[in-house]
């Protein structure tokens, strides 16, 4: 199996409730390594760029407002099949449909405030990582 990297955000609803350590524990228990991490307060421009793929969707404005409301924790995770593994650890976007033991089942407040973001493909992961981290900030 291939070692790969994925991108993660611990969203404002999680950081406001001081869940960073609990979420990181679930990430590490799944066999993923946190090889870069920092707490940032997203600007509107950063959020609009990051979620640009959703620009034409009706929830775009609300999503941007939510992401700039409080600090987030951005991360690079590394491990075997990291993208798929992290998506499994996160659980379904709708916490009511998420499997027991997943981050979203345990911590999400709603479908919109679902505590975490993770990349969905290798190309997306590379773009998202590059938006938030310089190469020398990733220590694997």
């Amino acid at each position: 199996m291939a070692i790969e990297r994925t991108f993660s955000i611990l969203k404002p609803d999680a950081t406001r409730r001081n869940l960073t350590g609990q979420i990181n524990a679930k990430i590490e228990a799944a066999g993923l390594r946190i090889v870069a991490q920092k707490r940032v307060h997203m600007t509107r421009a950063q959020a609009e760029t990051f979620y640009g793929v959703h620009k034409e969707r009706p929830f775009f404005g609300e999503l941007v407002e939510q992401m700039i409301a409080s600090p987030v924790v951005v991360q690079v995770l590394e491990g075997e099949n990291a993208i798929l593994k992290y998506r499994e650890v996160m659980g379904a976007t709708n916490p009511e449909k998420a499997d027991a033991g997943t981050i979203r089942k345990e911590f999400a407040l709603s479908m919109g405030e679902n505590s975490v973001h993770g990349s969905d493909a290798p190309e997306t992961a590379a773009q998202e990582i590059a938006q938030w981290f310089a190469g020398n900030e990733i220590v694997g």
Side-chain angles (χ1 to χ4, degrees):
M1 292 189 182
I3 299 293
E4 65 183 3
R5 289 183 174 162
T6 192
F7 180 75
S8 165
I9 300 176
L10 309 188
K11 294 181 177 181
D13 70 276
T15 62
R16 274 194 306 271
R17 293 178 293 142
N18 206 28
L19 298 174
T20 303
Q22 291 176 71
I23 293 172
N24 282 348
K26 285 192 160 298
I27 290 167
E28 291 177 333
L32 295 168
R33 294 179 55 225
I34 300 167
V35 295
Q37 176 174 261
K38 58 186 168 184
R39 187 178 181 95
V40 299
H41 203 134
M42 259 191 216
T43 66
R44 180 174 301 282
Q46 287 171 323
E48 288 176 349
T49 298
F50 188 81
Y51 288 106
V53 67
H54 300 302
K55 191 171 182 95
E56 301 305 318
R57 297 201 172 154
F59 60 83
F60 179 73
E62 181 181 340
L63 176 60
V64 169
E65 290 301 322
Q66 194 174 69
M67 294 304 292
I68 66 175
S70 298
V72 299
V73 175
V74 292
Q75 304 173 312
V76 179
L77 310 178
E78 184 178 83
E80 288 187 12
N81 296 315
I83 295 167
L84 179 60
K85 187 175 287 186
Y86 187 48
R87 294 189 70 75
E88 290 172 356
V89 171
M90 287 191 306
T93 302
N94 182 343
E96 293 178 12
K97 296 180 179 177
D99 290 338
T102 62
I103 293 168
R104 289 177 172 150
K105 187 65 166 187
E106 291 191 22
F107 303 120
L109 298 172
S110 66
M111 195 157 147
E113 290 184 305
N114 60 22
S115 300
V116 289
H117 162 86
S119 303
D120 61 1
E123 300 78 22
T124 311
Q127 291 170 349
E128 292 175 344
I129 290 168
Q131 182 178 345
W132 294 100
F133 292 95
N136 65 350
E137 293 179 295
I138 303 169
V139 183

